[in-house]
Amino acid sequence: GLEVLKSYPKSFTQTAGFTSAWNVLPWFRPAVSYTASTIENNILSLSTFVVGGSTTVFDIGDIKTVNRNGAGNISLSLSAAEIFSKTKLFRSFSLTNGYQTQDGDSWNNVERGLDTKTALWLRTPLRPTSRFAQRVNLTLRDTASSSQRWSPLEAYDLKGRKEAFKSLSLSNNYVKSVQRSETTGTPSKTISTTLPDLIASIGSLEKLVHADRWAKSMQLNLKVREQTTENVAATFQTDDSFGTDLRAIIRQRFDTSVSFNLRTTSTEDLRINQVTQTTDHKDAVVQTTFDIHKFRFTPKVDYQNDVTTLGTGQRSQDTTVITPSLLVRADLALPKGLRVPFRKQLLTFTNRIIWTTTMSLAMRQSPITINDNSKLLNLNTSADYEIAKNLRMTLNGAASRLWHKYLKEEDFISYQFGTVLTFQF
């Protein structure tokens, strides 16, 4: 046979970028960065295309796939204290702004002669000459963001019970993202907006509510968030949430926390201008932690409710789960020494046991779904026993018991037990 020598590229990878920052003014220091990467892989086999009855064959290495990714960022942080040095109210106010681009595209059947080394800006499409070249997908994402931080009374000289207001802090985020996509020629556009995304926090609350005789380190957090997502000409979704949590140490002993959250999600079909589904979520948790001798106890009650309503007004889900639980943890150290014959030194046993046990009872009920009416008891326990520095044994066990309210065939009992002995030398 005739031996044919061929030369062709196999692959190409490139990453290029830059970062720049300008000190225009002491308080005005914008920064810019951009990075682009390109990956090419040549097709190392004969490729045949048939269009309109005519056949075109590409030799080994004559066509290639091209994948590009690009990310750009402009950021600017502003501090009120640097701009207005004499201000008190806005001394702690800071603003962080940013604009980011995240782009990516992929191409098939691009001719080997197309030079992509300088094609760093993805918003300028490639210009292949091959009529078989195809852009498989394209994603262009623009994101504008702004974060604000402010402790309005931090710089004021407040005394007594009013001093708690100095710890008041506010933070908020604004994010707007526009994503344009194209998959095999089909375009789509998604607009996502988050505002507000607010967290308000205040500490030393026991001073304001005159509870400092029996409570300390009392802190309250409030969270409010709204996000909208629009798939242009298709759907519009609104997601609203509110949450609060309170934590304090009661009577110098009980580390207690209470939290409550609400979330509502609504989905609208823009093609028929009608809400198709609404979901409501509620949850609350109450727990405390205290020590008795070398044992730490954490009793907790968890409440959760989920309701889904269709556009017709019919409820497809209404489930409530209440779960009381108790966690017990102990860290016991009982070191011992054993005298070994013909040795002066004692053989030391660390005898440290870390024992953790959790027991919970999940009470589930639903007027809609029959299967969501049950009680599930869970017990998990594990003990890590360090006999000596190089000898450790782990014991673990679990048991479960389910009682179903209507489907007695669903009732079950399960249990397991395991142990691991580890010797290091």
Side-chain angles (χ1 to χ4, degrees):
L2 181 63
E3 183 177 344
V4 179
L5 298 178
K6 290 185 178 182
S7 176
Y8 51 83
K10 291 184 177 181
S11 62
F12 167 75
T13 302
Q14 173 184 274
T15 300
F18 73 93
T19 300
S20 181
W22 299 286
N23 292 321
V24 181
L25 293 171
W27 53 269
F28 189 75
R29 297 183 291 269
V32 180
S33 65
Y34 184 76
T35 302
S37 63
T38 305
I39 300 176
E40 296 182 359
N41 287 289
N42 291 71
I43 307 301
L44 304 181
S45 61
L46 294 177
S47 301
T48 304
F49 297 90
V50 179
V51 178
S54 62
T55 302
T56 303
V57 179
F58 289 95
D59 203 355
I60 296 173
D62 279 352
I63 57 174
K64 59 188 177 182
T65 62
V66 179
N67 291 274
R68 300 188 300 166
N69 288 281
N73 185 66
I74 301 174
S75 61
L76 174 64
S77 297
L78 299 173
S79 174
E82 294 180 343
I83 303 173
F84 308 104
S85 59
K86 294 183 179 180
T87 182
K88 278 191 174 182
L89 182 61
F90 295 99
R91 179 173 297 178
S92 62
F93 184 80
S94 63
L95 189 66
T96 302
N97 303 303
Y99 179 80
Q100 186 178 38
T101 62
Q102 296 170 292
D103 304 332
D105 65 1
S106 63
W107 297 73
N108 285 343
N109 308 324
V110 177
E111 68 273 10
R112 63 182 286 183
L114 181 66
D115 186 6
T116 62
K117 294 183 180 66
T118 58
L120 303 178
W121 183 244
L122 275 68
R123 304 201 172 188
T124 300
L126 297 178
R127 304 295 182 185
T129 58
S130 171
R131 64 192 180 107
F132 302 104
Q134 179 187 29
R135 185 168 66 188
V136 180
N137 57 62
L138 169 69
T139 300
L140 304 177
R141 183 184 296 117
D142 296 85
T143 304
S145 62
S146 178
S147 298
Q148 307 89 42
R149 301 290 183 270
W150 188 27
S151 298
L153 303 176
E154 182 183 60
Y156 290 89
D157 187 20
L158 301 177
K159 301 294 184 181
R161 297 192 179 277
K162 294 181 180 179
E163 188 178 0
F165 286 113
K166 296 179 67 175
S167 65
L168 176 65
S169 66
L170 304 171
S171 64
N172 182 59
N173 296 297
Y174 164 75
V175 180
K176 187 177 184 65
S177 176
V178 179
Q179 177 174 306
R180 290 162 289 167
S181 300
E182 181 183 301
T183 304
T184 59
T186 303
S188 63
K189 184 178 181 180
T190 302
I191 303 173
S192 177
T193 306
T194 302
L195 184 72
D197 186 7
L198 176 67
I199 299 177
S201 176
I202 186 170
S204 301
L205 193 61
E206 69 274 7
K207 295 180 180 180
L208 293 177
V209 298
H210 298 268
D212 44 327
R213 291 185 178 181
W214 51 269
K216 69 175 185 178
S217 302
M218 185 179 290
Q219 180 169 326
L220 176 67
N221 300 311
L222 297 174
K223 305 174 184 178
V224 179
R225 187 173 187 266
E226 179 177 327
Q227 182 179 26
T228 60
T229 304
E230 179 184 1
N231 295 313
V232 176
T235 61
F236 186 85
Q237 180 175 297
T238 303
D239 193 334
D240 297 322
S241 62
F242 169 80
T244 179
D245 61 86
L246 175 67
R247 181 171 181 173
I249 299 177
I250 310 298
R251 299 294 182 186
Q252 306 288 328
R253 184 179 182 185
F254 300 96
D255 190 348
T256 305
S257 65
V258 179
S259 66
F260 179 70
N261 297 283
L262 294 173
R263 181 177 177 181
T264 300
T265 302
S266 175
T267 303
E268 179 184 357
D269 191 330
L270 298 176
R271 292 163 294 190
I272 58 176
N273 196 27
Q274 181 178 341
V275 175
T276 56
Q277 181 174 285
T278 301
T279 62
D280 293 286
H281 170 85
K282 304 175 186 176
D283 68 73
V285 177
V286 179
Q287 76 170 46
T288 188
T289 299
F290 58 91
D291 296 330
I292 299 179
H293 301 299
K294 294 185 178 181
F295 290 82
R296 171 159 291 188
F297 295 84
T298 304
K300 181 171 94 170
V301 178
D302 188 296
Y303 166 85
Q304 184 171 310
N305 175 255
D306 291 284
V307 177
T308 301
T309 306
L310 302 179
T312 58
Q314 179 183 2
R315 289 189 177 185
S316 61
Q317 180 190 18
D318 187 350
T319 305
T320 301
V321 183
I322 301 175
T323 309
S325 63
L326 176 64
L327 184 147
V328 183
R329 189 178 188 275
D331 191 344
L332 308 174
L334 305 170
K336 294 289 184 180
L338 176 65
R339 186 173 297 278
V340 180
F342 309 110
R343 288 190 60 182
K344 294 182 179 180
Q345 294 181 343
L346 293 175
L347 181 60
T348 303
F349 293 94
T350 55
N351 278 349
R352 184 184 180 188
I353 302 174
I354 300 176
W355 177 52
T356 304
T357 297
T358 304
M359 183 171 60
S360 65
L361 178 64
M363 296 175 287
R364 180 183 295 268
Q365 60 180 5
S366 172
I368 295 177
T369 308
I370 293 179
N371 200 43
D372 285 330
N373 290 273
S374 63
K375 295 180 181 179
L376 177 62
L377 177 65
N378 280 317
L379 175 65
N380 292 276
T381 185
S382 65
D384 190 357
Y385 178 30
E386 186 180 286
I387 303 171
K389 290 184 178 181
N390 60 345
L391 184 60
R392 182 188 301 270
M393 182 170 63
T394 302
L395 302 172
N396 60 78
S400 298
R401 174 71 165 98
L402 176 71
W403 297 272
H404 202 283
K405 187 175 181 179
Y406 302 111
L407 306 175
K408 297 305 179 183
E409 64 272 18
E410 297 291 331
D411 291 5
F412 69 82
I413 299 175
S414 68
Y415 56 88
Q416 65 179 42
F417 178 78
T419 180
V420 177
L421 183 64
T422 304
F423 182 69
Q424 297 175 333
F425 58 89

